[in-house]
Amino acid sequence: MITLNGLQFQEYISEKELLHAIDEVAVAINRDFKGKQPVFLVVLNGAYKFATELLSRFEGDCEIEFIKMSSYDGTASTGQVQTHIPLEADLEEREVVVIEDIVDSGNTIEKITQMMVTAGVNKYRIASLFFKPGSYTKEYKIHYVGLEIPSDFIVGYGLDYNGLGRNLNAIYKLKTTKMTNLVLFGPPGAGKGTQASFLKEKYNLIHISTGDVFRYNIKNATELGTLAKSYIDKGQLVPDTVTIDMLSAEVDKTPDANGFIFDGFPRTTAQAEALDALLEEKGTQVAAMIALEVDDEILVKRLLERGKTSGRKDDADEAVIRNRIKVYYDETAILKGYYQKQDKYYGVDGVGEINEITTRLSSVIDKL
């Protein structure tokens, strides 16, 4: 097991298996290009190790050119192919072998094919060390394939995760742990805090309260806490990027957790999208948004009762309480729609005995 940029990867394909696959690709290319002088076009950066081994096995004369392209950001494909080092060689009427590290969606292959047509090549072939048939969406033929693999994210042997892992001599795949990540919502007085305590114990989850995270970072004068305080002192809202960085740091403290309960975040669509992106980087996702549903009049009654013992001024003023409830619904309505589109929104009756409500919540979580 190795860790790169906070993510864990487990060994998947050994160096011996890789070299055997390259041997087979080399045999096929030597057969097809015997007595010819092809141009090998190496797609950087990922194909450099594959190209080095493959070219050392080519038995004839050849020319070598390079082009640099990318279509990934972190562990996810951007869907867009960017060219960083353009093709400048004259390939008109030449026979070309394109050396790729991996073919998944086929977007890069489509771009290269367009280049070959524009360049007027006589014939071209695609040689890829890896091919993900389950992800491939194009109709272009991949002529030489070292290994067909599932649609897992892999690193090593030229492939990287945010710059790391290219130098590894074996292939490692992202360790995906099924995590139960919950966005827990409930209006003031719904008992969200109480239920979060029960759920984190029952399912061995980590409870992340945005308020607690802010207080910890500010109290301990962390870099993010100091930055957040600078906005607060000016009466400004703390940018979402600061909040998400704090949450990311909290998630990184327990990478082997069974999951997280996010309490107080997200509150806007932009924050929900940022949370999705954060969890995707960690190889997981939000499993559900669960909202405790309680009638307004019951909430007001509960909070007024609590105000008699809590000493909190905002629990003693009915007008303030009703405004807090209104703000909650205004915020939740937006997020409800966001998660409903993903079939991840669950409303749970929050009226009754504590254990009854816990049972209702558990019945939702157990089906995730």
Side-chain angles (χ1 to χ4, degrees):
M1 191 77 65
I2 61 172
T3 301
L4 302 174
N5 289 321
L7 295 188
Q8 291 185 319
F9 295 81
Q10 57 195 36
E11 187 167 346
Y12 180 43
I13 303 172
S14 69
E15 182 179 14
K16 182 179 179 180
E17 292 175 285
L18 293 171
L19 293 177
H20 177 71
I22 295 172
D23 284 339
E24 293 187 336
V25 172
V27 168
I29 291 177
N30 280 319
R31 179 192 63 231
D32 293 347
F33 288 88
K34 184 177 181 179
K36 300 178 181 180
Q37 187 174 306
V39 177
F40 285 94
L41 181 62
V42 182
V43 182
L44 298 174
N45 290 332
Y48 82 95
K49 285 181 73 72
F50 174 40
T52 298
E53 295 292 342
L54 183 61
L55 292 170
S56 70
R57 290 163 170 74
F58 186 65
E59 297 171 351
D61 295 327
C62 66
E63 296 178 34
I64 304 172
E65 297 291 340
F66 299 91
I67 184 172
K68 185 173 182 180
M69 310 177 81
S70 68
S71 61
Y72 265 76
D73 182 13
T75 63
S77 173
T78 63
Q80 301 293 323
V81 180
Q82 294 184 325
T83 302
H84 305 285
I85 298 178
L87 176 61
E88 296 181 348
D90 182 3
L91 301 179
E92 188 172 1
E93 294 301 317
R94 299 298 304 274
E95 296 192 358
V96 179
V97 179
V98 178
I99 302 180
E100 258 281 35
D101 53 355
I102 188 167
V103 174
D104 42 30
S105 67
N107 291 333
T108 302
I109 295 302
E110 183 175 58
K111 186 73 173 287
I112 289 174
T113 297
Q114 293 169 354
M115 291 180 178
M116 296 298 99
V117 172
T118 300
V121 301
N122 177 34
K123 178 176 73 174
Y124 82 95
R125 295 287 183 266
I126 302 291
S128 183
L129 181 55
F130 301 106
F131 176 51
K132 295 181 179 179
S135 301
Y136 196 56
T137 61
K138 308 299 180 182
E139 298 181 355
Y140 307 106
K141 182 177 180 180
I142 312 303
H143 305 85
Y144 311 106
V145 174
L147 294 165
E148 290 192 4
I149 61 174
S151 298
D152 298 308
F153 182 79
I154 60 175
V155 298
Y157 220 77
L159 289 85
D160 76 306
Y161 167 52
N162 282 350
L164 299 181
R166 293 191 192 278
N167 60 310
L168 299 171
N169 291 322
I171 289 294
Y172 294 75
K173 70 176 179 178
L174 180 65
K175 179 184 177 184
T176 54
T177 303
K178 181 170 175 54
M179 303 175 79
T180 303
N181 301 307
L182 307 174
V183 173
L184 186 61
F185 263 75
K192 178 166 57 73
T194 299
Q195 292 301 327
S197 297
F198 283 114
L199 295 177
K200 75 175 184 179
E201 293 297 328
K202 181 173 182 177
Y203 295 99
N204 193 25
L205 305 176
I206 305 298
H207 180 205
I208 298 181
S209 166
T210 308
D212 291 343
V213 171
F214 265 85
R215 284 187 287 272
Y216 170 84
N217 280 273
I218 292 173
K219 179 180 179 180
N220 291 278
T222 66
E223 182 178 347
L224 288 171
T226 301
L227 180 59
K229 190 173 184 299
S230 70
Y231 287 98
I232 294 171
D233 289 345
K234 297 174 186 175
Q236 300 174 348
L237 293 175
V238 177
D240 289 345
T241 53
V242 177
T243 305
I244 205 73
D245 284 345
M246 286 186 182
L247 294 179
S248 179
E250 287 298 309
V251 170
D252 288 343
K253 289 179 181 178
T254 50
D256 295 325
N258 288 338
F260 299 88
I261 299 175
F262 293 96
D263 180 357
F265 190 93
R267 291 191 179 279
T268 66
T269 299
Q271 290 179 352
E273 292 172 345
L275 180 60
D276 283 347
L278 165 65
L279 294 177
E280 184 176 349
E281 287 181 6
K282 312 295 183 185
T284 184
Q285 62 183 341
V286 170
M289 173 189 177
I290 302 178
L292 289 170
E293 299 175 341
V294 182
D295 183 77
D296 290 2
E297 297 309 312
I298 294 177
L299 293 172
V300 172
K301 183 178 178 180
R302 284 183 184 178
L303 290 172
L304 287 173
E305 286 296 321
R306 190 173 76 180
K308 295 176 182 178
T309 57
S310 68
R312 288 179 51 173
K313 294 181 179 180
D314 57 352
D315 282 345
D317 188 320
E318 182 173 336
V320 172
I321 289 172
R322 290 189 181 278
N323 185 63
R324 287 166 58 200
I325 294 172
K326 180 180 181 302
V327 170
Y328 165 79
Y329 285 122
D330 288 344
E331 292 176 341
T332 308
I334 300 172
L335 291 171
K336 181 177 179 179
Y338 178 84
Y339 286 108
Q340 278 180 328
K341 289 179 181 178
Q342 301 179 28
D343 293 323
K344 293 181 178 180
Y345 176 83
Y346 298 87
V348 174
D349 183 3
V351 179
E353 297 295 326
I354 291 175
N355 63 330
E356 293 176 343
I357 300 169
T358 304
T359 299
R360 294 172 198 150
L361 290 168
S362 298
S363 67
V364 171
I365 297 170
D366 290 342
K367 294 176 183 176
L368 296 176

